[in-house]
Amino acid sequence: MAEDLTKGRPFPVILKFSIPVIGGNLFQLFYTLADTIIVGQTIGENALAAVGATTVFVYFILCFIQGLTNGFSIILAQSIGARDHGGARKNIAASIYISLACTIVITAVTCALTPFIIDIMEVPEEIRKDASVYLFVVLAGTGATILYNLVSNILRALGDSRLPLAYLVFSSLLNVVLDIVFIVPFGMGVGGAALATVLSQLIAGILSLISGIKRYDVLRLQKEDWRGAFEKIGANLRLGFLMGFQMSVMCIGQLVMQASVNSLGTEAIAGYTAATKVDQLSVLVNNAFITAIAAYVAQNYGAGEKERIRKGIWASLAITEITDFIMIAIILIIEPFIVPMFVSDASPLVFDYAWDFFKITLPFYPMLGLLCVYRTSVQSMGNSIPPFAACIVELVARCSASIILGGIIGYAGIVLSSPLAWIGADLIVIPSYAYMMRRKLHQENDR
């Protein structure tokens, strides 16, 4: 095992594990930023709007995939923490079976429904063709996304957060090269940007898998592991699909937000797209801490180290909140340069829409940090009900605020729906964590 998260002081252990994951997530952001910047600068504002108008649906699928594979990794990490390496191999095989089935179903269904998705997203007519091409190509590459996320989460469950980063750095640089080649000399437009992203992620997944098999015995599956996997499929399906569904539910609210923004016109879409691309910095960094916390809590839960979990959560809170405040400062500093980074000749309205997004969202980043830490800790200890309830609250808050507040105060009301969703979810997961830890402490005292 690359890293035993049940030993050592929690703060440095979590921080050491998180840094490579943050690096990997930043390079994932680099993927999408490269697409957006190159599209905006070489093709124009309408092409940028076409990519932005469909990005949330792509993110919706990505959320399900990340949730699904995160669920697999939690079960795997619990097996690793309990030193059950035979069970770990069977869990890996089970996760592969499920992932193959999901690849077939998701790819077939979403590609077939691409025209319908464009309709329900209320994409403006002038960018509908480009949006359809971009969305179809990305959805056709769903298998590459599943492969990379599955392998990465397996490696992280083993305690290795460095190997996925190494190959993601390479593939991110390749993505930029392919973007330029496909768009400029080949003239493939937004479809070329989508194809570059899919190919780069596929390469990252394949290389990570090959290196992981060479490095870790637990990944060298035998016939008995594949046969024994069927006894593990049920548990992996339950947690994987529940976490995938929860993350998808959160994205449904963002789909409603995007549809509301789409109805305001091309300038609103372009400004919102530029702002949300940079806002992904916060999301991806917090997701890195989610990955670290999930691995840390799951391994220690499997090892029965309850007090160590408590100390790790306090360490995670300190790391997460400090990082959120740093990101707020960075975004405020670079804000004037964000829109020009994506569109060279943007109208003043695009700048206004981008700034309105930041001035409403940034003050609430600490609320997002709290949500990430507590929801993940509760889920990694085997309690999926409060996180699910929190996701429903997020969905209701985002949809209702986007529609009601958006109708009353316009764009500002749409943007405000995310902070309201974070606060509502915090009110569920924080008391749930406190109750769980208090109950576990009483159980230990009664022994």
Side-chain angles (χ1 to χ4, degrees):
M1 186 171 62
E3 187 75 31
D4 188 347
L5 304 179
T6 63
K7 298 177 181 177
R9 290 173 50 233
F11 189 96
V13 166
I14 294 172
L15 185 60
K16 179 182 177 182
F17 187 90
S18 299
I19 289 175
V21 184
I22 292 173
N25 284 354
L26 290 177
F27 272 96
Q28 280 191 312
L29 176 61
F30 189 49
Y31 270 146
T32 58
L33 285 178
D35 283 343
T36 310
I37 292 172
I38 294 171
V39 166
Q41 295 289 349
T42 60
I43 309 178
E45 185 175 302
N46 278 2
L48 173 65
V51 173
T54 58
T55 295
V56 175
F57 186 82
V58 174
Y59 187 57
F60 168 73
I61 299 299
L62 178 61
C63 281
F64 176 79
I65 293 170
Q66 289 179 335
L68 179 75
T69 54
N70 279 339
F72 299 158
S73 72
I74 287 175
I75 293 178
L76 176 58
Q78 289 175 350
S79 297
I80 295 296
R83 305 298 190 268
D84 179 14
H85 289 179
R89 289 189 179 91
K90 293 176 183 177
N91 279 316
I92 291 172
S95 67
I96 293 173
Y97 282 138
I98 299 169
S99 296
L100 286 172
C102 287
T103 296
I104 295 171
V105 173
I106 293 174
T107 304
V109 172
T110 56
C111 286
L113 293 178
T114 295
F116 175 72
I117 295 166
I118 294 295
D119 287 337
I120 63 173
M121 291 296 294
E122 298 184 26
V123 177
E125 188 63 36
E126 64 267 24
I127 60 174
R128 182 175 290 259
K129 182 179 179 181
D130 279 346
S132 297
V133 171
Y134 184 85
L135 182 61
F136 182 84
V137 174
V138 171
L139 294 176
T142 297
T145 305
I146 291 179
L147 173 63
Y148 172 72
N149 281 277
L150 175 63
V151 176
S152 295
N153 279 310
I154 287 174
L155 292 172
R156 288 164 184 157
L158 299 177
D160 187 345
S161 57
R162 300 179 186 88
L163 191 57
L165 171 62
Y167 289 113
L168 190 55
V169 169
F170 165 77
S171 62
S172 296
L173 297 176
L174 177 62
N175 181 58
V176 174
V177 174
L178 292 178
D179 265 332
I180 296 172
V181 171
F182 289 162
I183 292 175
V184 181
F186 288 4
M188 296 174 65
V190 296
L195 181 60
T197 299
V198 171
L199 289 177
S200 300
Q201 197 161 48
L202 178 62
I203 291 171
I206 292 173
L207 293 177
S208 296
L209 177 61
I210 293 172
S211 294
I213 291 173
K214 289 181 178 179
R215 187 172 296 191
Y216 302 113
D217 290 340
V218 74
L219 290 177
R220 300 167 195 165
L221 305 183
Q222 306 298 320
K223 288 184 179 180
E224 58 269 22
D225 299 321
W226 294 105
R227 289 194 294 266
F230 293 101
E231 68 189 53
K232 301 290 187 179
I233 283 180
N236 280 275
L237 268 176
R238 282 191 296 273
L239 186 55
F241 268 83
L242 185 59
M243 290 187 66
F245 178 74
Q246 288 173 12
M247 292 193 70
S248 296
V249 164
M250 291 186 289
C251 291
I252 291 173
Q254 293 176 334
L255 281 169
V256 174
M257 291 174 62
Q258 182 69 62
S260 300
V261 172
N262 289 352
S263 67
L264 299 178
T266 302
E267 289 88 356
I269 297 173
Y272 183 79
T273 298
T276 52
K277 288 295 183 182
V278 176
D279 180 63
Q280 286 297 303
L281 173 67
S282 169
V283 175
L284 291 175
V285 170
N286 278 291
N287 282 349
F289 293 128
I290 286 175
T291 302
I293 295 164
Y296 175 90
V297 172
Q299 281 197 20
N300 282 280
Y301 188 78
E305 297 284 350
K306 305 301 188 300
E307 184 58 29
R308 184 172 170 79
I309 292 175
R310 186 193 304 276
K311 293 177 180 178
I313 296 306
W314 281 112
S316 300
L317 282 172
I319 296 170
T320 303
E321 296 301 341
I322 290 171
T323 306
D324 281 333
F325 281 109
I326 292 173
M327 286 189 293
I328 292 171
I330 291 173
I331 292 175
L332 287 175
I333 291 171
I334 68 171
E335 190 277 331
F337 309 101
I338 290 173
V339 170
M341 180 170 63
F342 295 102
V343 184
S344 57
D345 56 348
S347 66
L349 273 177
V350 176
F351 283 86
D352 291 341
Y353 280 120
W355 170 239
D356 286 345
F357 178 92
F358 288 123
K359 72 181 182 184
I360 293 171
T361 304
L362 291 182
F364 293 95
Y365 271 12
M367 298 296 103
L368 176 60
L370 290 174
L371 177 58
C372 291
V373 171
Y374 284 109
R375 177 163 54 199
T376 305
S377 63
V378 170
Q379 197 139 38
S380 298
M381 289 188 286
N383 189 350
S384 57
I385 295 176
F388 179 77
C391 288
I392 298 300
V393 169
E394 283 195 80
L395 173 63
V396 172
R398 278 201 173 94
C399 292
S400 58
S402 294
I403 296 170
I404 298 173
L405 293 181
I408 297 173
I409 59 178
Y411 180 77
I414 299 170
V415 176
L416 186 60
S417 62
S418 282
L420 292 176
W422 300 336
I423 294 171
D426 279 334
L427 294 176
I428 293 178
V429 295
I430 294 175
S432 298
Y433 169 80
Y435 172 75
M436 287 184 66
M437 296 306 289
R438 188 164 53 247
R439 186 184 64 184
K440 292 180 185 300
L441 182 62
H442 289 329
Q443 289 174 346
E444 291 174 358
N445 290 338
D446 290 340
R447 291 174 185 172

